[in-house]
Amino acid sequence: MRDIENIVVLTGAGISAESGLATFRGPDGLWEGHRVEDVCTPEALAANPALVHRFYDARRAALAQVRPNAAHDALARLDRVWTGDLLIVTQNVDDLHERAGATRMLHMHGELLSALCAACGTRMPWAGDMHDRLTCPACAAPALRPDIVFFGEMPYQMERIDAAIATCDLFVSIGTSGAVYPAAGFVRTARHHGAATLELNLDPSASSIYFDRTRIGPAGTLVPAWVNEMLGGIA
Ligand code: OAD
């Protein structure tokens, strides 16, 4: 790890599991009998907005009951101390990385605590429940929706992510099943550009074969240990 300067970390639902947030594809992955792929779509929002809002309202409300865990804390420490480039790309729509103190990060799948106007594109902080035909304060269209990237929509900030992956020396994936693209393909892009690749996950994932190394275990244990290795004796 001595020659590493630039790091990209990809996180998924597994990093927040020990905080008490359900993952998408675990044993508790079904929600009211629906697969996530059937709820998180523009078509579902148009056909059954109450269902989609209920899904995200429940997740937004759950944020008040949870706290960052040791894995979020360790990444925030890496963010504070690491002198090379670092980008934490999270697929998570919770705010646990920020609450732990991470700043060099982005939400590629959107955020629960944000609303998006489908008419004018304005984003705004959002804390409470949502319902159909909420009025946008910027353009007055009844078009507010969760600021979440639905299946079939383009993830946020892909140019910035691609640029960071193309120049990183180490790509680390934490707590993600490797089931959803484009994030699932980042490891191959990183390898293509010559980066070392490391996966930290509770189980082998669909992408494990593409990593130089996979460490199996809970993020709350593996991530602090890895950050300690990276930072050595630095406080
Ligand atoms: P998944 O639910 O698909 O996968 C979670 C992964 O975390 C699995 O591989 C688990 O083995 C692992 N895991 C569970 N508990 C863990 C722990 N304590 N420590 C480490 N790993 C653990 O979640 P994602 O891969 O994040 O999209 O799902 C990707 C996207 O699919 C999500 O961002 C979401 C969903 O549809 C949107 O919301 C747009």
Side-chain angles (χ1 to χ4, degrees):
M1 298 281 172
R2 208 165 285 152
D3 297 331
I4 287 163
E5 242 181 77
N6 302 333
I7 306 174
V8 173
V9 177
L10 173 71
T11 68
I15 197 168
S16 297
E18 288 158 82
S19 291
L21 296 177
T23 61
F24 291 95
R25 294 177 183 79
D28 50 357
L30 283 187
W31 179 80
E32 292 190 12
H34 303 280
R35 292 184 322 144
V36 61
E37 287 85 350
D38 297 331
V39 182
C40 309
T41 67
E43 294 77 14
L45 184 65
N48 194 348
L51 174 82
V52 177
H53 287 306
R54 223 166 46 243
F55 179 83
Y56 286 108
D57 288 349
R59 271 151 190 78
R60 200 178 297 107
L63 295 184
Q65 317 299 323
V66 300
R67 294 174 28 195
N69 64 52
H72 300 103
D73 290 342
L75 286 186
R77 176 173 166 242
L78 184 70
D79 185 343
R80 204 169 54 245
V81 173
W82 187 251
T83 53
D85 283 349
L86 169 71
L87 183 62
I88 301 168
V89 178
T90 189
Q91 299 169 88
N92 297 344
V93 294
D94 65 52
D95 63 341
L96 294 180
H97 283 303
E98 298 92 310
R99 274 202 258 161
T103 56
R104 292 190 270 177
M105 63 154 302
L106 62 84
H107 286 272
M108 67 176 289
H109 287 168
E111 296 174 62
L112 285 167
L113 297 178
S114 174
L116 169 71
C117 176
C120 73
T122 297
R123 294 199 157 81
M124 62 215 76
W126 198 270
D129 287 351
M130 298 194 85
H131 55 81
D132 196 24
R133 301 187 62 77
L134 277 168
T135 304
C136 171
C139 73
L144 286 192
R145 54 165 273 186
D147 189 5
I148 304 283
V149 176
F150 290 142
F151 284 95
E153 296 180 330
M154 181 66 87
Y156 296 151
Q157 304 200 49
M158 283 305 299
E159 276 184 28
R160 186 175 166 203
I161 297 169
D162 286 340
I165 290 176
T167 54
C168 74
D169 307 303
L170 175 64
F171 174 80
V172 184
S173 170
I174 302 169
T176 177
S177 60
V180 176
Y181 282 82
F186 290 169
V187 58
R188 274 171 278 174
T189 310
R191 280 180 79 100
H192 173 76
H193 289 285
T197 56
L198 171 66
E199 178 181 48
L200 309 176
N201 210 49
L202 193 60
D203 310 292
S205 75
S207 299
S208 290
I209 50 166
Y210 300 112
F211 286 86
D212 297 326
R213 286 195 197 161
T214 293
R215 296 181 187 171
I216 297 294
T221 305
L222 293 184
V223 179
W226 170 68
V227 169
N228 280 339
E229 285 168 32
M230 294 306 297
L231 296 180
I234 307 170

